Amino acid sequence: MSTVHRLFVDAPLGSGLSVVPAPPQAHYLLGVLRLKAGDTVELFNGRDGGWRAELREVTKKSAQLHCTAQSQPQEPVPDLWLLAAPLKKGRIDWLAEKACELGVARLLPVETQRTVVDRLNLDRLHAHMVEAAEQCGRTAVPTLEPLTSLAKLLKAWPAGRRLLFCDESGGAPAFAALIAAGPGPWAILIGPEGGFTDQERALLRALPDVVPVSLGPRILRADTAAAAAISLWQAALGDWRA
Ligand code: SAM
């Protein structure tokens, strides 16, 4: 059975609707995959689920993708945010890709006192998440927020959203803490390569919705810690439960 290629498009999807892919996507379909009129792809836009689409009006450089049937409903996305300090280029890309594959709903890059990276290419990060969603079968791509200071985010923290504060200096065992706290809106906070300052630690631990946890006896790289914490959350409270 030939693989059905998946494409993220920023256009409405529905029975009888057609989408004209952007030139780079058209080149990928026609030039790289060498798809022809009548071939099918799966489209998703993060809102309308997955849709089988047939290639029509194919020319050398363009085609119409005509929605024929819904292939999967829009996924229910667990209400999990990831707050992560930006990391050096390759690592933040990897972190964004894993956050998408592991089912995060929203990625909020946060500037902390020891964050060394102060510029983020949001388009590049979004492209990594789109590619991850195309590959892993998601019909949603995490919402990506602009870089914001941790202090500003905490000042306006939404009441009732628990914040799993992954603290390299120690805390409750993460999995047990998640089970004890129970389901609901959550966020995970991962610090930069330099970790959190004592001032940040005190600020966080004073907040009612914050759950300070340890991810074990070893100091993990920030990207590893993010993937580990999201996996724990999905297993304890998310959509990895049977
Ligand atoms: N420079 C810090 C140090 O040596 O203690 C390490 C920071 S670590 C590279 C980056 C982030 O990953 C931390 O701020 C924390 O959010 C998370 N992290 C890493 N290991 C952890 C652990 N064992 N428990 C909880 N969080 C951890």
Side-chain angles (χ1 to χ4, degrees), residues 152-182:
K152 198 167 160 215
L153 269 178
L154 295 180
K155 247 198 212 101
W157 193 253
R161 181 173 291 274
R162 258 79 57 89
L163 177 59
L164 194 77
F165 167 32
C166 296
D167 184 352
E168 67 279 9
S169 74
F175 188 76
L178 285 166
I179 297 289

Side-chain angles (χ1 to χ4, degrees), residues 114 165-170 189-196 201 213-223 225-226:
R114 291 188 182 147
F165 167 32
C166 296
D167 184 352
E168 67 279 9
S169 74
L189 171 62
I190 301 290
E193 292 91 339
F196 291 101
R201 195 162 277 120
V213 293
S214 163
L215 295 176
R218 289 167 290 280
I219 295 294
L220 311 175
R221 284 186 180 278
D223 42 350

Side-chain angles (χ1 to χ4, degrees), residues 6-30:
R6 305 186 72 244
L7 220 52
F8 177 80
V9 290
D10 194 5
L13 298 173
S15 185
L17 294 183
S18 280
V19 178
V20 177
Q25 288 182 320
H27 169 68
Y28 174 63
L29 294 174
L30 305 173

Side-chain angles (χ1 to χ4, degrees), residues 88-168:
K88 292 194 181 71
K89 193 161 165 270
R91 290 195 177 278
I92 188 73
D93 295 349
W94 187 89
L95 183 147
E97 192 178 83
K98 297 316 148 199
C100 180
E101 288 175 70
L102 292 170
V104 159
R106 198 170 177 221
L107 176 54
L108 301 92
V110 284
E111 189 153 13
T112 67
Q113 289 171 355
R114 291 188 182 147
T115 299
V116 289
V117 173
D118 57 5
R119 259 176 318 102
L120 260 191
N121 182 333
L122 293 177
D123 289 345
R124 198 188 69 239
L125 280 190
H126 187 257
H128 277 285
M129 293 202 290
V130 165
E131 209 175 306
E134 288 172 341
Q135 172 273 328
C136 73
R138 285 197 77 171
T139 55
V141 178
T143 314
L144 178 58
E145 301 299 343
L147 185 59
T148 314
S149 80
L150 177 61
K152 198 167 160 215
L153 269 178
L154 295 180
K155 247 198 212 101
W157 193 253
R161 181 173 291 274
R162 258 79 57 89
L163 177 59
L164 194 77
F165 167 32
C166 296
D167 184 352
E168 67 279 9

